[in-house]
């Protein structure tokens, strides 16, 4: 059954987990771990980084659950947690990259290793990394079988904005593909 459609059990499990029920928390993780990882992968563009991000989210989830408002769907709240965690990781990564500039041979070798890793991931994931964060986040959610309305709820934007972002992402990906094919 689709994660976004069967929400009553999620909300019940979340309430029990907030109350300290470890079994309920484990059940929530079991129900949503693969989806969290899948979204993290699409947001980060790499398996190792997605694994790290997913583990960070799982470790922080008990504390974050204390701020869960049961009036919202659990899945919407959880996707927002993943998107926000990916944003935080990107900001930290950008700050680290700025700090690492000028580290000589070590940095050159690290960048070469990153480039080699990027060559091994599939084209769409690689191309998504070139998109601005807002387009990438929106596309990742829609690729995870969310409707435009559901993605809008997670990102706290209108359904129309989601549709516009998807259109822009498609245009940019098409242009990128045409450039690669023409090169």
């Amino acid at each position: 059954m689709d994660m976004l459609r069967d929400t009553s059990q999620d909300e019940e499990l979340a309430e029990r987990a907030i109350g300290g029920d470890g079994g309920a928390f484990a059940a929530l993780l079991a129900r949503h771990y693969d989806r969290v990882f899948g979204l993290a992968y699409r947001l980060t563009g790499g398996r190792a980084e997605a694994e790290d991000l997913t583990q960070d989210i799982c470790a922080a989830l008990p504390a974050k659950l204390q701020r869960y408002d049961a009036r919202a769907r659990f899945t919407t709240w959880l996707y927002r947690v993943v998107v926000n965690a990916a944003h935080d990781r990107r900001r930290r990564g950008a700050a680290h990259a700025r700090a690492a500039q000028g580290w000589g041979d070590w940095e050159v070798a690290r960048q070469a290793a990153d480039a080699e890793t990027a060559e091994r991931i599939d084209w769409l994931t690689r191309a998504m990394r070139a998109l601005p964060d807002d387009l990438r986040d929106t596309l990742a959610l829609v690729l995870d079988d969310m409707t435009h309305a559901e993605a809008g709820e997670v990102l706290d934007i209108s359904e129309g904005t989601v549709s516009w972002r998807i259109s822009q992402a498609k245009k940019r990906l098409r242009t990128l593909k045409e450039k690669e094919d023409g090169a």
Side-chain angles (χ1 to χ4, degrees), residues 85-127:
H87 280 223
D88 291 346
R89 181 172 286 270
R90 284 184 211 134
R91 282 191 289 272
R92 283 192 307 272
H96 176 73
R98 284 190 302 275
Q101 288 177 348
W103 283 24
D105 293 342
W106 178 85
E107 179 62 9
V108 170
R110 187 193 65 78
Q111 288 178 0
D114 285 352
E116 183 178 320
T117 300
E119 288 175 4
R120 286 187 254 141
I121 60 177
D122 67 8
W123 184 87
L124 180 58
T125 301
R126 190 171 27 99

Side-chain angles (χ1 to χ4, degrees), residues 6 11 19 26-27 36 50 52 62 64 66 82 85 90-91 96-98 109 111 116 120 122 126 138 146 167:
D6 182 24
E11 279 76 33
V36 168
D52 289 346
K64 289 189 179 296
Q66 299 305 314
V82 176
R90 284 184 211 134
R91 282 191 289 272
H96 176 73
R98 284 190 302 275
Q111 288 178 0
E116 183 178 320
R120 286 187 254 141
D122 67 8
R126 190 171 27 99
T138 305
M146 281 193 159
S167 173

Side-chain angles (χ1 to χ4, degrees), residues 94-163:
H96 176 73
R98 284 190 302 275
Q101 288 177 348
W103 283 24
D105 293 342
W106 178 85
E107 179 62 9
V108 170
R110 187 193 65 78
Q111 288 178 0
D114 285 352
E116 183 178 320
T117 300
E119 288 175 4
R120 286 187 254 141
I121 60 177
D122 67 8
W123 184 87
L124 180 58
T125 301
R126 190 171 27 99
M128 284 177 64
R129 292 175 80 173
L131 294 174
D133 290 349
D134 60 341
L135 298 182
R136 181 186 334 165
D137 296 346
T138 305
L139 184 58
L141 290 169
V142 171
L143 288 173
D144 203 46
D145 294 329
M146 281 193 159
T147 66
H148 289 201
E150 291 165 337
E153 192 174 336
V154 169
L155 297 170
D156 198 25
I157 59 176
S158 73
E159 184 176 350
T161 301
V162 171
S163 297

Side-chain angles (χ1 to χ4, degrees), residues 1 3 6 9-10 13-14 17 21-37 54-55 58 61 65 74-75 78:
M1 181 171 289
M3 171 184 89
D6 182 24
Q9 188 175 10
D10 289 334
L13 289 170
D21 184 337
F25 181 75
L28 276 174
L29 281 184
R31 287 173 61 93
H32 298 290
Y33 185 89
D34 290 342
R35 290 282 190 148
V36 168
F37 174 79
T54 302
Q55 290 305 310
C58 289
L61 208 50
L65 264 174
F74 177 78
T75 52
L78 182 61

